[in-house]
């Protein structure tokens, strides 16, 4: 359809003209032109052209003649009505009667104009076009209205709204079926405003009535609209929540309608309520969680911290105050590195690097400085989150201390156990040495007796042969026998020394002097390949020691050293003052006290562990048969112990050995005596008689022979009792010479009894196995140790009997 012809705009009008007369057509056009109508003219002269134009061309108006050669105007009208009913149709005819005109208009023509009165044509055309235009407008408006009504209906339907229309003037309420349904009424029920109010829930009724009354009362535009919610009450068949949205409409300040819609919001409200409940619960839960977390944060004894990777503390909990003594607030923003012990820094930095790379760090420990300057051990767990990390730390200082204390205690226990083991070992070693000592001394005792007999007889024979002037092979053989027996005597002496059963005569001695005086002897003993050095302490304390024995000891050690240095080396004899404080580590070592130490060091092959463990045992030797008897160190040991000191060996295989002998410090200085001399046996006082008691007849016999040689008269007794009998009987007895160890009455007892019988009777003891406790009181001069040398016997007997005559005959013993 072409654009509507608007007045004033004067668009071109497309005119379809059905006219067979050329002249009439021109005339018609002229009239239209004259009237100022712009138009295009489409002319049809017969039915075919007319139909074609209607079907194919655009046209705004039809002008038609009534009488045409092939068909008439009424047929044309019918065709137009059928094909284009909205296009105005005007008859332009020559002869039109009243009846025709009425008929034409009845059949749908818009107008008619007489050809003889064409001046009316333009007006008729314009009016027809205008009417068509209006019709078109109306149709469009109606269409739009119906569309919008449809939309509203759809909307109302879609939104499931109920309609509500109240006339407040008479209380009439018009509702649709849905509103009735909402109110629990049948679809066709009559309803008034009053009845409606009864259906509202009593709790909401007054409020709703007041609200509606307010809207109806007017006021400003806002008051006239109402949006509210209410419940239907028990009077309605169902209880539900409804929302009313309505508007009061006014005519001349009087409310004539109050219209709106109702919506069932029961479900919505339930859902909303549920949602609200849910939201409230959630809120409460969140609040509770937050409170819990805050409580943990505040009350925990563990350290909580949020910190950045560059070392800043962002947040810390109050535990930092209780555990580390800092004001938690002051720590915020501080650098936590400053709190860490510098020995732990590297590890902590490693952990922070791990965290910064987004990984969870393994549990770690470090020390943090307490505000009071002490250190606390903290065990940490940390996780990274964004640009920071979260750390939880526990104070494990006490646990650590406990663990350390436990470890220490364990160590102590282990040390105690080791100490006990050592003491037990020492005890075992001592018991062994003790047992061996007893065995040794028993053997030594018996051997002494035998050797006394052998040596005594050898000397006796030697002297006899000398006297007879016999010489040669026999004397030599006797010499060998004597040497062998003397060597045996030396061994028994060493055995006795080991079992600490030798008679010692301790005196204050300057060991420096002793060493000096032995220098020559030592050098000759060592031979040319070994260099001898001495390191002698000036102001050396004097030692309380048997001077003869210490010389033997030094010699012994020097020989061991020489044997260890077969290819040469050096031997050092050293003296020193030593204060020992601790308990001895080995049985041979000295206990706490002041000692004069004498050490002999060599650069020899040293000792292995096994050799060292047994070195002091008697008869232990690594030397070839005939080269060592294994008694040297045993003697050193026994001597040192018996003297009240001890001995220690420091040795390393392949490097050398030092044997240090510790001797007790003497209270007094040594007396400066000339070299020891020995008085040769003086002649016996004339007629002097000795009573000799010895249970061993061989020993007794050889002793008696010697005494007789010296010129004494001798009475022999085999036991203490026999001796006492002799004392009771015999006339002259000047001296009682008693063996100490005898079955029945021993030497001391015999002497005691004898002195009861003959008060003031001088006595001498012979002993090979001196019970030192029993003879402690007896002076050295009254003891003769077996196997004795002839001259010793003669000298001591003569000395007791007052024979000083030989005092000018002296001989150097060495
Ligand atoms: N200075 C030393 N260097 C290396 N080993 C030594 C030394 N002194 C002693 N020994 C070792 O200790 C062992 C025992 O020594 P000890 O003096 O008791 O006996 P011995 O020397 O073998 O024999 P004896 O001394 O009775 O002639 C020796 O056989 C030797 O193995
Ligand atoms: Mg030796």
């Amino acid at each position: 359809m072409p654009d509507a012809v608007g007045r004033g705009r004067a668009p071109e009008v497309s005119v379809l003209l059905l006219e067979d007369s050329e002249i009439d057509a021109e005339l018609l056009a002229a009239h239209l032109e004259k009237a100022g109508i712009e138009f295009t003219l489409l002319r049809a002269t017969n039915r075919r052209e007319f139909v074609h134009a209607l079907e194919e061309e655009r046209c705004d108006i039809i002008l038609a003649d009534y009488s045409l050669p092939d068909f008439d105007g009424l047929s044309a009208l019918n065709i137009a009505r059928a094909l284009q009913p909205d296009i105005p149709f005007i008859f332009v005819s020559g002869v039109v009667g009243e009846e025709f005109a009425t008929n034409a208009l009845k059949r749908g023509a818009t107008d008619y104009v007489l050809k003889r009165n064409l001046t009316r044509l333009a007006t008729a055309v314009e009016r027809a076009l205008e009417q068509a235009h209006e019709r078109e407008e109306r149709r469009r408006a109606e269409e739009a209205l119906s569309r919008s009504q449809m939309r509203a209906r759809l909307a109302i339907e879609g939104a499931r709204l109920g309609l509500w229309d109240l006339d407040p003037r008479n209380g009439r309420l018009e509702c649709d079926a849905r509103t009735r349904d909402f109110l629990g009424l049948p679809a066709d029920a009559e309803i008034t405003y009053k009845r409606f109010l009864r259906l509202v829930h009593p709790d909401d009724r007054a409020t709703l009535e007041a609200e509606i009354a307010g809207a109806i009362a007017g006021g400003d535009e806002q008051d006239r609209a109402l949006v509210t919610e209410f419940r239907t009450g028990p009077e309605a068949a169902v209880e539900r929540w409804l929302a009313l949205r309505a508007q009061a409409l006014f005519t001349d300040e009087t409310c004539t309608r109050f219209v709106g819609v109702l919506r069932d919001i029961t479900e919505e409200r339930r859902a909303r309520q549920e949602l609200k409940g849910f939201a409230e619960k959630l809120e409460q839960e969140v609040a509770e969680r937050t409170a819990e977390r805050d409580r943990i944060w505040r009350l925990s004894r563990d350290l909580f911290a949020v910190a950045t990777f560059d070392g800043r503390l962002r947040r810390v909990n109050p535990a930092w105050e209780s555990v580390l003594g800092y004001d938690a607030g002051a720590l915020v923003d501080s650098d936590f590195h400053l709190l860490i012990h510098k020995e732990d820094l590297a590890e902590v930095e490693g952990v922070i690097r791990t965290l910064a790379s987004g990984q969870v760090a393994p549990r770690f420990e470090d020390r943090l400085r307490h505000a009071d300057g002490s250190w606390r051990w903290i065990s940490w767990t940390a996780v990274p989150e964004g640009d920071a990390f979260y750390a939880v730390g526990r104070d494990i200082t006490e646990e650590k201390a406990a663990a350390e204390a436990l470890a220490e205690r364990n160590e102590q226990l282990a040390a105690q156990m080791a100490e006990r083991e050592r003491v037990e070992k020492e005890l075992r070693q001592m018991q062994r040495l003790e047992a061996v000592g007893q065995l040794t001394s028993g053997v030594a005792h018996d051997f002494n007796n035998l050797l006394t007999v052998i040596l005594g007889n050898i000397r006796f024979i030697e002297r006899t042969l000398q006297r007879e002037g016999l010489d040669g092979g026999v004397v030599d053989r006797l010499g060998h026998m004597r040497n062998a027996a003397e060597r045996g005597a030396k061994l028994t002496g060493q055995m006795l020394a080991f079992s600490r059963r030798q008679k010692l005569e301790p005196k204050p001695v300057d060991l420096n002097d002793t060493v000096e005086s032995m220098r020559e002897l030592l050098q000759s003993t060592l031979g040319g390949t070994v260099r001898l050095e001495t390191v002698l302490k000036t102001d050396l304390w004097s030692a309380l020691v048997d001077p003869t024995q210490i010389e033997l000891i030094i010699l012994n050690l020097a020989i061991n050293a020489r044997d260890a240095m077969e290819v040469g080396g050096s031997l050092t004899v050293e003296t020193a003052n030593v204060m020992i404080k601790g308990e001895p580590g080995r049985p041979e070592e000295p206990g706490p006290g002041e000692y004069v130490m004498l050490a002999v060091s060599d650069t020899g092959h040293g000792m292995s562990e096994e050799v060292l463990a047994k070195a002091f045992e008697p008869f232990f030797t690594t030397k070839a048969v005939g080269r060592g008897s294994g008694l040297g160190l045993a003697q050193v040991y026994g001597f040192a112990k018996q003297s009240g000191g001890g001995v220690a060996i420091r040795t390393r295989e392949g490097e050398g050995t030092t044997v240090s002998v510790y001797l007790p410090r003497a209270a007094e200085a040594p007396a400066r005596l000339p070299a020891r001399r020995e008085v040769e046996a003086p002649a016996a006082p004339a007629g002097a008689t000795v009573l000799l008691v010895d249970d061993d007849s061989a020993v007794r016999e050889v002793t008696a022979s010697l005494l007789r040689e010296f010129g004494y008269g001798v009475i022999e007794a085999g036991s203490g009792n026999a001796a006492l009998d002799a004392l009771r009987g015999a006339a002259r007895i000047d001296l009682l010479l008693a063996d100490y160890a005898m079955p029945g009455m021993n030497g001391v007892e015999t002497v005691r009894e004898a002195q009861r019988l003959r008060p003031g009777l001088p006595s001498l003891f012979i002993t090979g196995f001196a019970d030192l406790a029993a003879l402690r009181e007896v002076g050295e001069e009254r003891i003769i140790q077996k196997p004795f040398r002839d001259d010793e016997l003669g000298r001591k007997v003569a000395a007791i009997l007052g024979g000083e005559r030989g005092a000018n005959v002296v001989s150097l013993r060495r």
Side-chain angles (χ1 to χ4, degrees):
M1 195 175 228
D3 215 30
V5 178
R7 243 185 298 193
R9 288 211 303 160
E12 212 173 54
V13 180
S14 165
V15 178
L16 172 59
L17 177 61
L18 179 62
E19 179 60 74
D20 59 335
S21 160
E22 188 83 23
I23 295 168
D24 283 358
E26 279 181 18
L27 208 64
L28 228 134
H31 271 279
L32 288 178
E33 260 170 37
K34 196 173 154 209
I37 296 174
E38 282 193 27
F39 64 95
T40 52
L41 194 68
L42 199 66
R43 194 172 138 215
T45 57
N46 56 31
R47 181 193 184 97
R48 190 184 47 82
E49 285 175 2
F50 182 66
V51 171
H52 180 264
L54 278 177
E55 278 175 350
E56 302 295 326
E57 306 292 340
R58 179 185 79 98
C59 64
D60 299 321
I61 191 160
I62 303 164
L63 301 179
D65 190 4
Y66 184 70
S67 56
L68 294 154
D70 65 339
F71 80 121
D72 64 284
L74 278 180
S75 303
L77 177 61
N78 285 341
I79 291 169
R81 282 296 79 131
L83 294 176
Q84 299 280 7
D86 294 333
I87 299 177
F89 190 105
I90 298 175
F91 278 116
V92 184
S93 184
V95 272
V96 178
E98 182 102 0
E99 195 183 331
F100 167 77
T102 317
N103 191 26
L105 291 178
K106 214 187 274 170
R107 293 219 198 160
T110 312
D111 208 346
Y112 67 89
V113 177
L114 291 174
K115 281 188 179 171
R116 50 180 146 73
N117 191 13
L118 277 178
T119 45
R120 214 181 68 85
L121 178 66
T123 321
V125 166
E126 280 181 342
R127 204 177 58 210
L129 282 172
E130 197 155 310
Q131 278 173 357
H133 177 66
E134 270 170 18
R135 244 192 341 269
E136 176 63 21
E137 287 280 280
R138 199 173 326 117
R139 197 185 55 75
R140 272 203 226 176
E142 276 166 6
E143 227 174 55
L145 183 65
S146 102
R147 264 205 308 276
S148 89
Q149 274 177 342
M150 172 127 69
R151 273 202 294 271
R153 234 187 357 265
L154 282 173
I156 285 169
E157 200 53 42
R160 304 188 58 77
L161 300 174
L163 293 172
W164 152 286
D165 192 345
L166 172 67
D167 186 339
R169 290 166 302 183
N170 52 24
R172 231 186 4 243
L173 182 60
E174 300 218 355
C175 300
D176 62 356
R178 186 168 290 122
T179 299
R180 285 191 177 80
D181 180 40
F182 286 166
L183 297 170
L185 295 173
D188 55 351
E190 274 294 316
I191 182 163
T192 61
Y193 182 50
K194 245 182 159 173
R195 179 150 188 220
F196 162 77
L197 283 175
R198 272 207 311 278
L199 297 172
V200 173
H201 195 284
D203 291 353
D204 299 348
R205 197 177 291 148
T207 315
L208 181 66
E209 202 178 351
E211 282 173 339
I212 294 175
I216 289 169
D220 60 23
E221 202 51 44
Q222 237 181 2
D223 297 336
R224 295 175 185 187
L226 175 64
V227 178
T228 188
E229 292 176 359
F230 61 92
R231 276 166 296 172
T232 54
E235 295 233 355
V238 284
E239 182 173 328
R240 47 166 63 102
W241 273 94
L242 297 176
L244 173 62
R245 181 179 280 268
Q247 178 78 42
L249 304 175
F250 287 77
T251 315
D252 303 332
E253 299 302 309
T254 306
C255 180
T256 50
R257 284 178 80 192
F258 183 64
V259 284
V261 288
L262 279 169
R263 194 158 56 87
D264 183 353
I265 55 165
T266 315
E267 261 311 291
E268 199 180 298
R269 270 198 73 114
R270 198 187 52 73
R272 220 192 306 154
Q273 213 59 40
E274 226 167 61
L275 197 70
K276 197 172 151 222
F278 183 68
E280 272 168 8
K281 208 170 136 216
L282 202 70
E283 214 167 89
Q284 191 187 341
E285 267 177 24
V286 168
E288 274 169 16
R289 295 285 165 284
T290 312
E292 270 169 20
R293 213 201 47 205
D294 282 356
R295 214 169 304 132
I296 292 171
W297 177 272
R298 267 184 294 109
L299 300 181
S300 171
R301 294 185 43 77
D302 288 345
L303 304 178
F304 291 152
V306 185
T308 57
F309 299 123
D310 62 2
R312 251 179 352 89
L313 286 167
R314 261 195 206 157
R315 285 192 69 200
V316 295
N317 70 334
W320 287 72
E321 216 158 303
S322 52
V323 174
L324 293 171
Y326 296 105
D327 174 31
L331 284 176
V332 171
D333 266 350
S334 70
D335 184 348
F336 63 71
H337 288 104
L338 299 175
L339 297 178
I340 299 171
H341 196 288
K342 68 173 188 301
E343 285 170 18
D344 302 338
L345 265 179
E347 192 198 343
V348 174
E349 272 161 8
V351 169
I352 290 175
R353 275 197 297 280
T354 309
L355 289 169
S357 71
Q359 287 165 276
V360 175
R363 185 172 271 282
F364 67 100
E365 293 171 0
D366 67 2
R367 275 160 290 179
L368 295 189
R369 186 200 299 279
H370 189 279
D372 67 10
S374 65
W375 293 98
R376 311 295 298 171
W377 273 103
I378 312 288
S379 165
W380 291 102
T381 316
V383 287
E385 184 67 56
D387 64 342
F389 65 90
Y390 292 73
V392 183
R394 173 155 299 182
D395 182 355
I396 53 161
T397 316
E398 246 85 277
E399 280 165 46
K400 274 253 184 208
E404 262 167 37
L406 196 69
E408 205 173 294
R409 187 84 199 90
N410 274 346
E411 239 167 64
Q412 279 175 358
L413 262 165
Q416 277 171 2
M417 272 159 67
E419 171 67 10
R420 206 168 89 182
E421 229 163 74
R422 190 191 62 73
V423 170
E424 272 172 9
K425 201 169 137 198
E426 188 177 319
L427 194 71
R428 270 198 307 277
Q429 173 75 353
M430 259 163 72
Q431 284 168 342
R432 225 157 70 110
L433 289 177
E434 199 57 43
V436 175
Q438 259 169 24
L439 186 74
T440 312
S441 67
V443 173
H445 170 84
D446 286 343
F447 266 84
N448 254 349
N449 282 351
L450 301 178
L451 290 169
T452 306
V453 176
I454 295 166
L455 273 172
N457 281 310
I458 288 172
R459 287 189 199 113
F460 194 75
I461 295 168
E462 275 179 337
R463 272 196 298 279
T464 311
L465 290 178
Q466 246 170 8
R467 265 202 307 277
E468 310 274 305
L470 269 171
D471 213 344
V474 182
V475 176
D476 285 349
R477 277 170 206 282
L478 270 177
H480 294 320
M481 280 171 75
R482 186 167 40 78
N483 283 341
E486 272 170 0
R487 171 141 174 70
K490 190 181 144 215
L491 289 180
T492 52
Q494 282 179 317
M495 279 153 77
L496 284 172
F498 167 71
S499 47
R500 292 179 246 167
R501 294 252 164 75
Q502 65 181 333
K503 174 78 181 167
L504 291 183
E505 290 163 27
K507 301 185 174 61
V509 173
D510 181 344
L511 288 182
N512 285 348
D513 285 352
T514 310
V515 174
E516 281 300 345
S517 68
M518 287 179 74
R519 191 180 270 279
E520 241 171 81
L521 175 70
L522 287 175
Q523 190 63 72
S524 65
T525 309
L526 293 172
T529 55
V530 177
R531 205 174 64 247
L532 171 69
E533 281 176 30
T534 51
V535 181
L536 304 179
K537 170 91 175 77
T538 46
D539 299 328
L540 186 72
W541 297 332
S542 54
L544 189 64
V545 67
D546 185 321
T548 321
Q549 292 300 322
I550 188 68
E551 284 174 4
L552 286 177
I553 295 303
I554 296 170
L555 201 60
N556 237 318
L557 294 176
I559 290 167
N560 277 352
R562 180 201 64 195
D563 291 349
M565 299 186 287
E566 269 153 30
V567 290
S570 72
L571 179 133
T572 309
V573 183
E574 185 191 347
T575 56
N577 299 328
V578 174
M579 278 257 289
I580 288 178
K581 298 218 170 73
E583 286 303 317
R586 298 171 61 92
E588 66 270 15
E589 287 174 8
E594 288 183 335
Y595 298 96
V596 183
M597 186 203 73
L598 182 130
V600 178
S601 306
D602 63 60
T603 54
H605 54 59
M607 296 183 220
S608 67
E609 276 293 319
E610 297 75 51
V611 171
L612 178 63
K614 292 189 163 166
F616 290 113
E617 282 180 23
F619 309 114
F620 172 78
T621 177
T622 58
K623 294 173 188 170
V625 181
R627 290 218 50 197
S629 57
L631 281 169
L633 285 180
Q635 182 184 9
V636 173
Y637 165 84
F639 164 75
K641 282 282 166 186
Q642 194 181 341
S643 302
V647 54
I649 296 183
R650 255 186 310 118
T651 181
R652 185 169 290 194
E653 257 182 307
E655 288 183 16
T657 304
T658 300
V659 182
S660 309
V661 182
Y662 296 85
L663 299 163
R665 177 184 184 180
E668 345 152 13
R672 290 269 159 207
L673 288 173
R676 195 183 327 188
R677 286 142 193 253
E678 216 166 90
V679 180
E680 232 181 36
T689 307
V690 177
L691 172 57
L692 171 66
V693 204
D694 198 325
D695 61 313
D696 188 323
S697 54
V699 177
R700 194 175 66 232
E701 201 269 320
V702 87
T703 314
S705 306
L706 258 176
L707 288 170
R708 285 192 187 103
E709 253 184 44
F710 290 145
Y712 296 103
V714 179
I715 301 171
E716 291 181 46
S719 69
N721 279 326
L724 294 180
D725 284 345
L727 277 174
R728 286 189 194 101
R732 177 172 179 175
I733 292 176
D734 301 288
L735 173 73
L736 175 59
L737 181 58
D739 181 27
Y740 172 72
M742 290 185 295
M745 208 181 285
N746 69 24
V748 174
E749 286 160 350
T750 309
V751 167
R752 202 177 300 131
E753 283 305 307
Q755 282 178 343
R756 228 200 300 269
L757 293 175
R758 296 227 181 152
L761 175 70
S763 58
L764 263 177
F765 292 100
I766 308 174
T767 177
F769 172 45
D771 187 327
L772 298 170
L775 291 176
R776 208 173 31 233
E777 305 298 313
V778 184
E780 186 203 354
E781 288 306 312
R782 288 181 54 210
I783 292 175
I784 299 163
Q785 204 157 342
K786 285 194 280 197
F788 45 78
R789 295 167 58 113
D790 309 351
D791 51 358
E792 189 187 1
L793 178 69
R795 184 173 55 77
K796 287 194 171 162
V797 170
I800 290 265
L801 293 179
E804 290 297 312
R805 290 162 300 150
N808 55 340
V809 188
V810 291
S811 65
L812 275 173
R813 195 172 138 225
R814 203 179 286 143

